[in-house]
Amino acid sequence: MCRSCGCGKRARTKNSGDGHSHRNGEHSHHFRREIVEIRSSALADNDKRAAQNRRWLEARKIVALNFISSPGAGKTTLLESTLDRLRGRIRCAVIAGDVQTDRDARRLSGRGAPVRQIETLGACHLDAERVGQILPAVAKKGVRLLFIENVGNLVCPVAYDLGEDMKIAILSVVEGEDKPLKYPALFSAASVAVITKIDLIHAAGWNRTQCLKNIRKVQPRMRIFEVSARTGQGMDEWIRFLAELAGQASATT
Ligand SMILES: Nc1nc2c(ncn2[C@@H]2O[C@H](COP(=O)(O)OP(=O)(O)OP(=O)(O)O)[C@@H](O)[C@H]2O)c(=O)[nH]1
Ligand SMILES: [Zn+2]
Ligand SMILES: [Zn+2]
């Protein structure tokens, strides 16, 4: 549940936490408008801060990727394997977002890249301000790729631009091939989808054709990778893509 994006506590507090009964239509209409205004202004502030982050990253030729998925889709595992493979080749940095604990940051540490955790303490998404505050500490000189692992949530993180170059939608084969249709906001905002845990295809009864079709229905230009961080299948192609991204960024003047 989120305290600030309007999907949780804050919206409810504004709407009904003041002891009023909302019998009268005009009254509830007033509250609804207030909620919408709070949300719009929070998002507008976030967009401004995200634009600052984007300029900061661009000036340093750092490509930032915002990883978004449901909880447990395999973001951290994919990043562990990615960092191990890029170590010594491309300088990377990581911001790991979690509602609570620094477990992901600890898993990602010691792999050759600076890592910082943002513990959102209830909020179900990262926001541009928190990310901007720790950018200088994590995206140090020479860093080419910044991986941002968002809080596990298929809805709210999509609304909060962090200043990234692209959103990466992560979907594991055990979640079902219908998810792109059920969560179109993420799949239309992302330019890359990584399908994870492909070692579990048979156990999950995953329908590959249907899943790819559903992704393309929402985002026809989606670049799709199919990987298993567990077995290493598909990882070479993913790593080649990241190396190209880093190369393109440093080649631009
Ligand atoms: N079989 C298999 N399991 C995987 C793979 N990748 C991740 N897992 C397992 O899936 C579970 C969740 O993985 P995480 O990497 O923690 O997922 P996450 O998306 O970072 O989770 P949150 O940060 O909590 O949202 C763990 O038990 C992993 O071992 C994979 O490629 N194959
Ligand atoms: Zn939320
Ligand atoms: Zn994680």
Side-chain angles (χ1 to χ4, degrees), residues 110-124:
R111 298 174 190 273
V115 180
R116 288 287 184 286
Q117 178 85 30
I118 297 179
E119 210 178 329
T120 64
L121 301 175
C124 52

Side-chain angles (χ1 to χ4, degrees), residues 23-38:
R23 270 170 303 171
N24 152 339
E26 206 181 303
H27 200 150
S28 61
H29 177 76
H30 165 75
F31 274 101
R32 266 201 301 277
R33 200 180 60 211
E34 203 177 336
I35 293 163
V36 170
E37 280 166 6
I38 289 167

Side-chain angles (χ1 to χ4, degrees), residues 119-184:
E119 210 178 329
T120 64
L121 301 175
C124 52
H125 58 270
L126 290 176
D127 64 56
E129 172 147 26
R130 297 284 309 268
V131 168
Q133 281 163 357
I134 58 163
L135 269 182
V138 69
K140 296 183 181 146
K141 202 164 188 292
V143 165
R144 295 270 74 92
L145 290 177
L146 171 65
F147 301 114
I148 305 173
E149 179 180 339
N150 219 310
V151 176
N153 181 318
L154 277 175
V155 181
C156 310
V158 184
Y160 284 77
D161 183 7
L162 304 178
E164 72 273 359
D165 288 279
M166 52 179 91
K167 294 189 199 332
I168 313 275
I170 314 279
L171 174 68
S172 71
V173 299
V174 297
E175 290 167 73
E177 46 285 318
D178 59 350
K179 294 304 166 291
L181 302 179
K182 293 172 85 171
Y183 299 91

Side-chain angles (χ1 to χ4, degrees), residues 47-65:
D47 283 349
K48 274 190 219 145
R49 188 62 209 242
Q52 281 176 22
N53 292 351
R54 191 163 280 117
R55 283 194 294 274
W56 193 94
L57 290 159
E58 264 171 23
R60 288 158 185 80
K61 300 184 191 305
I62 298 172
V63 178
L65 306 177

Side-chain angles (χ1 to χ4, degrees), residues 13-247:
T13 308
K14 273 284 169 194
N15 201 9
S16 56
D18 58 359
H20 283 97
S21 68
H22 295 167
R23 270 170 303 171
N24 152 339
E26 206 181 303
H27 200 150
S28 61
H29 177 76
H30 165 75
F31 274 101
R32 266 201 301 277
R33 200 180 60 211
E34 203 177 336
I35 293 163
V36 170
E37 280 166 6
I38 289 167
R39 284 184 196 163
S40 319
S41 120
L43 283 173
D45 287 350
N46 185 76
D47 283 349
K48 274 190 219 145
R49 188 62 209 242
Q52 281 176 22
N53 292 351
R54 191 163 280 117
R55 283 194 294 274
W56 193 94
L57 290 159
E58 264 171 23
R60 288 158 185 80
K61 300 184 191 305
I62 298 172
V63 178
L65 306 177
N66 183 2
F67 285 52
I68 302 178
S69 80
S70 61
K75 299 178 293 302
T76 310
T77 311
L78 175 65
L79 283 172
E80 285 173 324
S81 172
T82 300
L83 292 179
D84 290 345
R85 285 160 189 262
L86 290 177
R87 192 172 190 160
R89 283 180 62 190
I90 296 167
R91 288 195 68 180
C92 301
V94 183
I95 295 175
D98 261 312
V99 172
Q100 217 137 12
T101 82
D102 62 352
R103 291 174 71 88
D104 283 1
R106 281 193 277 121
R107 284 172 60 188
L108 294 165
S109 297
R111 298 174 190 273
V115 180
R116 288 287 184 286
Q117 178 85 30
I118 297 179
E119 210 178 329
T120 64
L121 301 175
C124 52
H125 58 270
L126 290 176
D127 64 56
E129 172 147 26
R130 297 284 309 268
V131 168
Q133 281 163 357
I134 58 163
L135 269 182
V138 69
K140 296 183 181 146
K141 202 164 188 292
V143 165
R144 295 270 74 92
L145 290 177
L146 171 65
F147 301 114
I148 305 173
E149 179 180 339
N150 219 310
V151 176
N153 181 318
L154 277 175
V155 181
C156 310
V158 184
Y160 284 77
D161 183 7
L162 304 178
E164 72 273 359
D165 288 279
M166 52 179 91
K167 294 189 199 332
I168 313 275
I170 314 279
L171 174 68
S172 71
V173 299
V174 297
E175 290 167 73
E177 46 285 318
D178 59 350
K179 294 304 166 291
L181 302 179
K182 293 172 85 171
Y183 299 91
L186 170 60
F187 288 86
S188 56
S191 26
V192 172
V194 182
I195 297 167
T196 57
K197 310 191 191 182
I198 59 167
D199 55 299
L200 299 177
I201 283 177
H202 295 298
W206 184 64
N207 184 333
R208 177 175 186 269
T209 310
Q210 193 58 50
C211 187
L212 300 189
K213 206 166 136 193
N214 289 345
I215 292 175
R216 299 228 187 272
K217 203 180 265 180
V218 178
Q219 170 57 280
R221 293 180 308 282
M222 188 80 92
R223 180 123 188 216
I224 304 173
F225 295 90
E226 297 166 65
V227 306
S228 166
R230 179 77 48 93
T231 66
Q233 201 183 338
M235 285 299 292
D236 287 348
E237 203 185 333
W238 164 243
I239 294 296
R240 257 198 307 278
F241 167 72
L242 294 176
E244 272 167 31
L245 274 185

